[in-house]
Amino acid sequence: SAVISQKPSRDICQRGTSLTIQCQVDSQVTMMFWYRQQPGQSLTLIATANQGSEATYESGFVIDKFPISRPNLTFSTLTVSNMSPEDSSIYLCSVEGPGGRRGELFFGEGSRLTVL
Amino acid sequence: GQQVMQIPQYQHVQEGEDFTTYCNSSTTLSNIQWYKQRPGGHPVFLIQLVKSGEVKKQKRLTFQFGEAKKNSSLHITATQTTDVGTYFCAGTPTGGYKLSFGAGTTVTVRA
């Protein structure tokens, strides 16, 4: 299985500020996924981050609001820019399982953001 | 677009009883996955089903993929307090690649 570390685990942020979330995986992976889980809701894919190319964003999410970096095969960052209270969510980093466990998603512990 | 729907949204169960949660897709799926998220935790993969009519068991949990590959169910027998959490199904449309999550069924257990 993949071990995923996310930082910060939680934060309280002021409106209008930006926060960068880091995701570190213990193995090299081609794709890393960033999900958002609003309070009491399901998981919504924000974007897919590939090393060496621009992230692919899902409908409703734009690079200016959620810039993503993927400098190598084990690390990615997601920035939540110009935050508003509506951005209060859990942000989850995810990767697919290696080898025969492809398709199975492993999630980090999540970063719980509260925007005041 | 593809939608994955789950019912019920909430399930309140007496300890020791059985219950079932259902997942339905508007389109045919190539696979269906189930995840469990404990309160305050992150989603954890439980199982993946890929074949029409497939049934898999994990101890007290039984997972089924419908014959038409458009629905799935999770049945838990003799519910325990450790079963508390939200169970999500997630499916990939046939010919597609994007995994879509259902809204989840949140389970509480009365001791």
Side-chain angles (χ1 to χ4, degrees), chain A residues 22-86:
Chain A
Q22 299 179 7
C23 179
Q24 179 75 51
V25 188
D26 68 341
S27 58
Q28 293 185 339
V29 293
T30 304
M31 293 188 292
M32 296 177 75
F33 307 96
W34 286 99
Y35 282 86
R36 182 176 73 181
Q37 187 175 29
Q38 294 177 304
Q41 302 297 313
S42 186
L43 289 83
T44 300
L45 181 64
I46 297 172
T48 302
N50 297 302
Q51 194 268 335
S53 63
E54 277 200 5
T56 303
Y57 289 83
E58 298 299 311
S59 175
F61 298 96
V62 295
I63 189 171
D64 289 346
K65 176 67 176 177
F66 297 100
I68 288 172
S69 78
R70 185 78 201 275
N72 58 54
L73 290 174
T74 63
F75 187 78
S76 179
T77 67
L78 169 76
T79 299
V80 186
S81 302
N82 189 24
M83 285 185 283
S84 66
E86 292 71 33

Side-chain angles (χ1 to χ4, degrees), chain A residues 11-17 83-88 113-116:
Chain A
D11 207 339
I12 298 174
C13 307
Q14 296 299 317
R15 182 194 299 260
T17 63
M83 285 185 283
S84 66
E86 292 71 33
D87 294 320
S88 296
L113 303 188
T114 301
V115 185
L116 303 178

Side-chain angles (χ1 to χ4, degrees), chain A residues 35 37 40-43 45 58 90 92 101-105 107-110 112, chain B residues 9-10 33 35 37 40-45 48 88 97-99 101-104:
Chain A
Y35 282 86
Q37 187 175 29
Q41 302 297 313
S42 186
L43 289 83
L45 181 64
E58 298 299 311
I90 302 171
L92 294 150
R101 304 181 77 172
R102 188 165 180 80
E104 168 185 343
L105 291 182
F107 288 89
E109 297 283 343
R112 301 166 191 274
Chain B
Q9 184 177 2
Y10 299 100
Q33 300 176 5
Y35 293 80
Q37 185 175 25
H42 61 281
V44 174
F45 176 86
Q48 176 169 268
F88 293 98
Y97 66 93
K98 181 181 172 183
L99 188 68
F101 281 82

Side-chain angles (χ1 to χ4, degrees), chain B residues 24-106:
Chain B
N24 296 292
S25 170
S26 56
T27 59
T28 303
L29 303 170
S30 61
N31 66 70
I32 191 88
Q33 300 176 5
W34 286 89
Y35 293 80
K36 178 182 178 181
Q37 185 175 25
R38 295 182 184 274
H42 61 281
V44 174
F45 176 86
L46 294 177
I47 208 156
Q48 176 169 268
L49 306 171
V50 298
K51 298 177 182 176
S52 170
E54 188 171 12
V55 178
K56 288 189 176 180
K57 292 189 176 184
Q58 289 180 350
K59 298 183 180 178
R60 295 178 295 102
L61 278 62
T62 301
F63 304 85
Q64 185 168 10
F65 200 7
E67 295 288 344
K69 302 185 75 173
K70 295 179 72 173
N71 55 71
S72 180
S73 64
L74 161 59
H75 181 79
I76 300 182
T77 58
T79 304
Q80 300 177 358
T81 55
T82 53
D83 296 323
V84 165
T86 301
Y87 294 83
F88 293 98
C89 65
T92 305
T94 302
Y97 66 93
K98 181 181 172 183
L99 188 68
S100 293
F101 281 82
T105 294
T106 298

